[in-house]
Amino acid sequence: MTPERLGLLWGVTVFAGASARLLAALSGLPGVVLLLLAGLLIGRSGLGLVEPLDLGQGLETVVGLLVSLVLFDGGLNLRLPGDTIKATVLRISLIRLLLSLAAGLLAAHWLAGLGWSVAAVYSAIVLATGPTVVTPLVQQIRLAPPLGDVLEAEGLVLEPVGAVLALLLLELLLGDLHGWRGLAIGLLSRLGGGVLIGLACGWLLSEALRRLKPDPSVGLRLQLTLGVLFLMFGACEWLLPESGLPASVAAGVVVGRRPSTDAAQLDELIRELARLAITMLFPLLAADVSWAELSPLGWGGISCVLVLMVFVRPVAVSVATIGLPLDWRQRLFLGWLAPRGIVTAAVASLFAIRLEQAGVLGAGRLQGLVFLTILMTVGLQGLTAQPLAHWLGLIAADEGDDAPGAEEAPDGSATALDPLPVVADSSQ
């Protein structure tokens, strides 16, 4: 590919993403839906201006580095106040890991027509919700804490797990991995190794940031952070493929939880870079999807996604929250909002390429079904999240107002009906 053509590819991609962002800001529609539609327009399904495969091996590298930035930003802003919220996130993650994997496998095979092995890869890829989609939705609808914290943390926990598990299932399918014992050992080693490397790099980065002067060195802080993050991610992928994802989350958590690092100075810059990464990645990855991959799925593919949305997710949340102080309104909202995000799209695109190169049948259907899942979950849930939150009374109160769901106590003070605290500030 000529340098001129490569420059045009990136120019069209970034312009399409920025235009989608502008349209979202003017219309109030979910930005991720418009980013995906922009990618379909400029890619194989539309004008054919962008062909991601033209990037060759560089596609995987670019996608990996930008995804690590997005996950680091999520870890940097992760807040889990109180044991109840931590228990909620842990239980939802564990139950969904088991129930959603099995249900996704059956639905993809019986309804969407994927082979058992490819269906297993699909189930792992779409396991996690996307914090890159959840966070803008939470901020847009002004969802009262702690539901936003729970939704974001769930995605940050499960996205690396789903990506690593999907990679191992892919290697099992391609014959690079042998037996379920090897799969279990690979899962633990890559997740555990990634977390340990991330914790160590996060501590080293936080120590370096602590020694810099706060105000004059914001640019240097950003450069140092990106240097450590990208080096860590590259080393992790070289040593243990896909371990860079949990490492990025772990490093962000360490830096964000050490107040001496003045992480707040980095927060806005990192967040803007993460938004830029999403603006570039979603159109680029969506451009790789063709109608020829979506249309054969038909009603079977739509039924598969609907089963995951309206049955599997609510059941998993209901089982996971038994005995926890959550009322029916909070359970209902947690059971509905589960959009898939950028990591899901990135993993699907890269895995489809590997399957096609190996000559495995169903690679195109796998990628089409994953993007259909993203489009349906982000579209339907993104458009209905705010009306549902209003109806359930889960919108954060304005300054000076009582929290939603509060009533007057006999002495005139407000008492919260919700077992989990609801506060006015919806910032993450």
Side-chain angles (χ1 to χ4, degrees):
M1 188 177 187
T2 64
E4 293 80 9
R5 175 65 181 172
L6 184 61
L8 180 61
L9 182 150
W10 282 113
V12 171
T13 301
V14 176
F15 177 77
S19 299
R21 290 285 195 185
L22 175 62
L23 182 58
L26 295 176
S27 65
L29 294 173
V32 179
V33 175
L34 297 178
L35 286 172
L36 290 174
L37 293 177
L40 294 175
L41 176 64
I42 64 176
R44 295 181 185 177
S45 301
L47 302 175
L49 299 175
V50 173
E51 175 53 70
L53 294 181
D54 288 344
L55 293 174
Q57 295 294 329
L59 175 63
E60 185 173 356
T61 302
V62 170
V63 170
L65 291 175
L66 293 180
V67 167
S68 72
L69 175 63
V70 172
L71 292 181
F72 178 83
D73 174 64
L76 191 67
N77 293 279
L78 180 63
R79 299 293 182 269
L80 292 177
D83 294 335
T84 300
I85 300 179
K86 295 176 184 177
T88 302
V89 172
L90 179 61
R91 289 177 58 171
I92 290 178
S93 300
L94 290 176
I95 295 297
R96 285 200 61 237
L97 179 62
L98 301 175
L99 197 152
S100 298
L101 274 176
L105 169 66
L106 298 177
H109 178 71
W110 287 340
L111 297 176
L114 298 183
W116 283 111
S117 298
V118 179
V121 175
Y122 164 79
S123 181
I125 291 176
V126 301
L127 173 65
T129 58
T132 56
V133 185
V134 170
T135 299
L137 284 176
V138 169
Q139 294 173 344
Q140 181 180 0
I141 67 180
R142 299 183 61 251
L143 183 64
L147 293 183
D149 297 324
V150 172
L151 287 166
E152 289 185 75
E154 176 197 351
L156 287 171
V157 170
L158 284 181
E159 272 199 325
V161 175
V164 172
L165 182 58
L167 174 66
L168 295 175
L169 289 172
L170 177 68
E171 292 180 349
L172 194 64
L173 170 62
L174 298 178
D176 299 331
L177 193 67
H178 302 285
W180 294 104
R181 181 179 179 182
L183 187 146
I185 294 175
L187 181 64
L188 293 175
S189 63
R190 298 185 194 200
L191 287 176
V195 169
L196 290 177
I197 294 174
L199 293 176
C201 291
W203 182 83
L204 290 174
L205 175 59
S206 64
E207 284 296 305
L209 293 175
R210 187 174 62 86
R211 287 168 167 77
L212 292 176
K213 294 180 180 180
D215 296 330
S217 306
V218 176
L220 179 58
R221 287 171 178 272
L222 178 62
Q223 296 169 36
L224 179 61
T225 300
L226 294 179
V228 171
L229 174 63
F230 290 162
L231 177 61
M232 176 196 71
F233 181 82
C236 285
E237 294 300 299
W238 177 57
L239 295 171
L240 295 168
E242 296 298 333
S243 65
L245 300 182
S248 300
V249 176
V253 170
V254 171
V255 175
R257 293 181 67 88
R258 297 195 69 184
S260 60
T261 62
D262 291 320
Q265 288 189 320
L266 282 174
D267 184 31
E268 190 57 35
L269 290 174
I270 293 292
R271 176 158 294 185
E272 285 301 322
L273 287 177
R275 289 170 180 163
L276 176 61
I278 295 169
T279 301
M280 295 169 59
L281 281 177
F282 264 117
L284 179 66
L285 297 175
D288 194 40
V289 178
S290 66
W291 293 118
E293 296 170 344
L294 292 176
S295 56
L297 296 172
W299 289 107
I302 295 174
S303 300
C304 172
V305 179
L306 287 176
V307 165
L308 297 181
M309 292 174 60
V310 304
F311 178 72
V312 177
R313 167 76 182 189
V315 169
V317 169
S318 298
V319 172
T321 54
I322 292 176
L324 293 176
L326 288 167
D327 64 20
W328 68 271
R329 299 173 302 151
Q330 294 165 323
R331 286 189 173 91
L332 178 60
F333 193 84
L334 287 174
W336 172 242
L337 190 62
R340 273 58 172 185
I342 188 65
V343 176
T344 302
V347 172
S349 297
L350 297 177
F351 285 11
I353 293 173
R354 289 190 58 179
L355 288 173
E356 288 177 354
Q357 293 173 344
V360 177
L361 296 177
R365 292 176 66 89
L366 169 66
Q367 186 176 16
L369 187 58
V370 170
F371 272 93
L372 181 63
T373 305
I374 296 172
L375 285 169
M376 290 182 62
T377 55
V378 173
L380 294 176
Q381 294 171 351
L383 293 173
T384 59
Q386 188 164 13
L388 180 61
H390 272 290
W391 180 67
L392 295 174
L394 298 176
I395 301 297
D398 294 327
E399 293 292 338
D401 294 341
D402 291 335
E407 64 178 4
E408 290 293 316
D411 60 356
S413 61
T415 58
L417 293 177
D418 295 336
L420 290 178
V422 178
V423 297
D425 183 12
S426 63
S427 62
Q428 299 301 312

